Amino acid sequence: MTPGVISMDLVLFRDAIEHISRVIRVIRQPRGNMLLVGIGGSGRQSLARLATMVCNYKCFQIEVTRHYRKVEFREDLRKLYWLAGVENKHTVFLFTDTQVVEESFLEDINNMLSSGEVPNLYKPEEFEEVRSALGDSARQEGIADTPENMFTFLIDRLRANLHIVLCMSPVGDPFRNRLRMYPAFVNCTTIDWFSEWPSDALFEVADKFLDTIELPTEEVKSSVAQVFVVIHNSVADYSSKMLLEMKRHNYVTPTNYLELVSGYKLLLSEKRKEIGDAANKLRNGLFKIDDTRSKVEVMSVELEEAKVKVAQFQRQCEEYLVTLVQQKREADEQQKSVAARSEKIGIEELKCKVIAEGAQQELDETIPALEEAMRALESLNKKDMTEIKSYGRPPALVEKVLEAVMILRGSEPTWAEAKRQLGESNFLAQLSNFDKDSITDRILKKIDGYCANPDFDPDIIGRVSSAAKSLCMWVRAMDKYGHIYRVVEPKRQKLEGATSQLNEKQATLAAAKAKLKEVTDKMEDLKKQYDEKLAMKDELRRKAEQTELKLDRAGKLVEGLAAEKGRWEASVEKLEEQMHYLVGDCLVAAGFLSYMGPFLSNYREELVNAIWLEQIRKLGIPCSPGFTFAEFLGKPTTVRDWIIQGLPSDGFSTENGVIVCRCSRWPLMVDPQGQAIKWIRNMEADRGLKVIDLQQLDYLRTLENAIQFGTPVLLQNVQEELDPSLAPVLNKSIIKQGGRLMIKLGDKEIEYNPEFKFYITTKLSNPHYTPEVSTKTTITNFAVKEQGLEAQLLGIVVRKERPELEEQKDSLVINIAASKKKLVELEDEILRLLNEAQGSLLDDESLVNTLQVSKTTSTDIEEQLVISEETEIKIDAAREGYRACAQRASILFFVLNDMGRIDPMYQFSLDAYIDLFNLSIEKSQRSNKLEERIQFLNDYHTYAVYRYTCRGLFERHKLLFSFQMCAKIMEALGKLNMDEYNFFLRGGVVLDRDEQMDNPCPGWIVNSSWDNITELDKLTNFHGITASFEQYPRDWNGWFTSSEPETASLPGEWENQCNELQRMLVVRSLRPDRVSFCASSFIVNNLGSKFVEPPVLDMNAVVEDSSTKTPLIFVLSTGVDPTSGLLQLAENSGMANRFHALSLGQGQAPIATRMIKEGVREGKWVYLANCHLSLSWMPQLDKLVEQLQVEQPHPDFRLWLSSSPNPEFPISILQAGIKMTTEPPKGLRANLKRLYQLVTDQQFSQCKKPEKYKKLLFSLCFFHSILLERRKFLQLGWNIPYGFNDSDFEVSENLLSIYLDEYEDTPWEALKFLIAGVNYGGHVTDDFDRRLLNSYINQMFSEEAISTAFFKYTNCNTVRYR
């Protein structure tokens, strides 16, 4: 894959190839342009790019950013002109209708198609650059270099090279309007319609994608592809059905289908790995348990053998120990004996040593002389001997020396003998080796005579002969030694004797020591054997202890995991079964993820159960019998966390939660009640959720940072169109560069963190998103369901009524969720430890301990869980007593919610409704009896809702609201026959008139009424009613012509057979003009009369109910201006000096913003009138109102708004605010009450003639009410409708008070002229209407009205003045 390029995986089925062929054929023609018409996701852009690549053309597209406008578009067009016109490259300009930020873009493209020129595209200096670049090419073509010629040359080259391909969606009015406004789109292009993919194309795409998936058989693969087609087509059918039934748009595009197929691949792979890993973990755990059990059996045998050997070695060790002790005793005795001998011998050795040292010392004294003599002898040689021998007659001294030598040698001391011996060759050697110790005393004595001679000195003799000197020295040394030896010898002999005795004793000692050593060695040998036996015994004992410990561990392990073993075996079987069913389960789940988001629960159930699963089972694809989407993809622990984080607990919301967390496209949540926002905020709070909206100036910078750092982002309060600059994020246009993931946002590339998450919400209850938005996001309908809301309201009422119960419930829910989560974690931990254990489990003490602790904790948690769940059941039973209250409150909210379908201004916030519910709980009557308390609470809250809602409803809708409340309450109580009720709402429609009975009374029963009667006859309780018209035609005619048929008796047996609702059906069929009276009567009889008497708007009460964060919104009616009443209220509230009003319009937005900010700061009342005239500023106002929720405005601040009904008015403002309608109420009584409320206490008491004033004020109120009430009779009331308003009444009341004070007698004519002729008469233009006006004023403003008690203004007996 080329770096920085997003790859496309295309399947070219027949239709796609045809589209590509058409595009290629057209763009290869000169000036060939295309208009590709199809919904978003149908493949227009992909196939256009592929065709461009086939033709080897360059594809040019603009990139729309938040600030992309006409200037930027013109800049891109200049780049396009340079590419095609200057560089002379074949270029395809691919432009889609989603890139139309301004309509001027289309005008420029229209000009490019028709003439190639875009007016004022180039400034003179810009065109000069183009002109210079084209110069060489123009000269080659022979074109003169003038501005006109060069521009024509540019346009010609442009039109030859440029091919415009427009991709437009046929959905909605813009397509039709643009084709009419820009004729070149049709005249200068070839149109190619991209219709829905046919079934064979869908099958082919699915089959291609399934090639890489491992499925059981080819038949199953083919069946899965068929189911893909069925899923796609069925969703398209049900989208049409939902549009017809609920006016909700949902577009099914090929992109959804591709996501379905690719999502199936990913989901199947993920689930196979998930279930496979889980099963392998369990199998490994079971293997470890079985392995441990088998080892326990082996170890038990080993333990018994070890115990026997330990006993055997124990006996041997004891025997060795006895022998060892005995020998140790003998060795010790011998040791003592040897020690004593050694001590004695040691003393004798010391004595011998002293003798030897003394003798040696004396001998040592002769050693220097001997050594010197020896050296002298060594210095002699044969020559010296020859010298001495040469003497015929030696000198006397020499002769003396030789004589002494001869004496020592035991020879004759003569010269001759000496001479002879001197001639021997070994003479000197014999002297050197002379036996000194054998010199006898006789010889020594003779030598002494020589030595005593003073001349017998070596030095003296040396003078005669050096050789003789040496011999002299030898003689003297021998003499000295001989004398010393005589002293030393006895000592030596003594020493030898002592030494001899010592040697004998030492020999004896050595023998004793040898014997001791023998005993010691034997003992050491025994000790060694003893130690070995002891070591073997200890080793066996250690092994036995280890084996015993292991057996103990094994016992704990096997016992601890015994319950797990059974459950794991069951889980493995279940997982294997799930693995078998995965092919079908993932198929349904992938379809649910791709398509089910926009649908309500009833559509989801029908699609999944009646179509998808039915088809899957029919084709034999393995699928779980009780498949549910939420259980398949949602982990129970995760779902419980979601509920704690604020997700409603009903199944529909759980499915939505799974879709939001598992969808491949970013979720776009339709969230009118704010449930999704609360859940997302709580769920992602720990990850640093960033909340943005499109009104923030820096929201793109926040989004960039979140993408880089991987933090979640919530984009809230979007409308039906999304900012084009979000397209890269929504499309997940992620590219890979240098091993990093990058995304281009705006004009810069940033690093993409895979942890990034993007959530989008809208408060629109029924948005119409284009197919392009549908393909980029996963639209999910998060509208609250009755079941989920009922659970919330039940919690609220129990928390108010029984706070300790609800606190306990909340605590239990959290504890149970935490406990179940902990159980799962512990089981995962046990399995992980078993899976990671190396070798035998029994060798790893820490592992066994950890497993034991985990199991013990798990057991404790399970026990606590059982207790908690039992307690929860008891608490739920107690809470159920308040179920009726929660159910009623839930019903009423959905009645309120449905009012938004009637008028766009009827938007109600769930938060505000919950506040109202809390108020009802606090203010309703108390009772110790639960049934009575519930009844009081239901009655109070029902009327509180009616009173709260009516002030924001138009008069024509108040009866409808009451009737809807009544019907829904009765339906919940089971008191309403739904077939009859549906007939009342819809009437009868005859489908086959051939089978219809003829009208027996065509003279007075019209065909439409007879159609109703014949269809009514088909209902169970009305069989035979058509025949009764033949039996009692006169009676039916009498009933029909009666003035009040709703109270008249029905003919024949129908009077006794029909209940109130059934009587209403008859009235609805024959006298639809009296239906409203029937409905009123029905409401009075079932709810009470107060539900047909709307309360008069009390502005003071509204102010009391409001807060600084609550906008007060007047929903305007024709001819009614609430400004004066608001000014009066401000004056009465002391806010007249701090009341600021502004009528919105062009240029007023900055002033309004400044006024609101000042009001927040200084505590003013700010009134912004006619918001419908400044709809473009409403998003900014919405942002200001949102800021009020987080700021702390001045306590006196109030924001007043007025607007005519408009669907573009921000829903969030309507939901956050208190709505009030300004039209007069219906009915004389209601109008009289309202008019009296307009008169302040000061006005009522300031007139000086109170008796007259009070009576005439009533006349004026009655007069005004009569005029208003006549309008509902249309031309029967007034020939021309007039806009009588409160200003007329206020001016007339002021005139009445002034004139009564000024004149003593009542000025009747002046009052009648000013009131009827001028004030009210100013509206009247018809003479007959003026005559009627004067008749009323003459009747009501007369002397009798003042003087007569109980004066009657009408002949009706029910109305009179008191």
Side-chain angles (χ1 to χ4, degrees), residues 1-8 733-738 741-742:
M1 176 175 157
T2 306
V5 175
I6 302 171
S7 64
M8 292 192 302
S733 302
I734 303 166
I735 55 179
K736 199 167 186 179
Q737 291 182 353
L741 297 177
M742 307 293 290

Side-chain angles (χ1 to χ4, degrees), residues 1348-1359:
T1348 305
F1350 302 108
F1351 177 73
K1352 295 182 180 180
Y1353 295 107
T1354 175
N1355 293 327
C1356 177
N1357 295 325
T1358 59
V1359 179

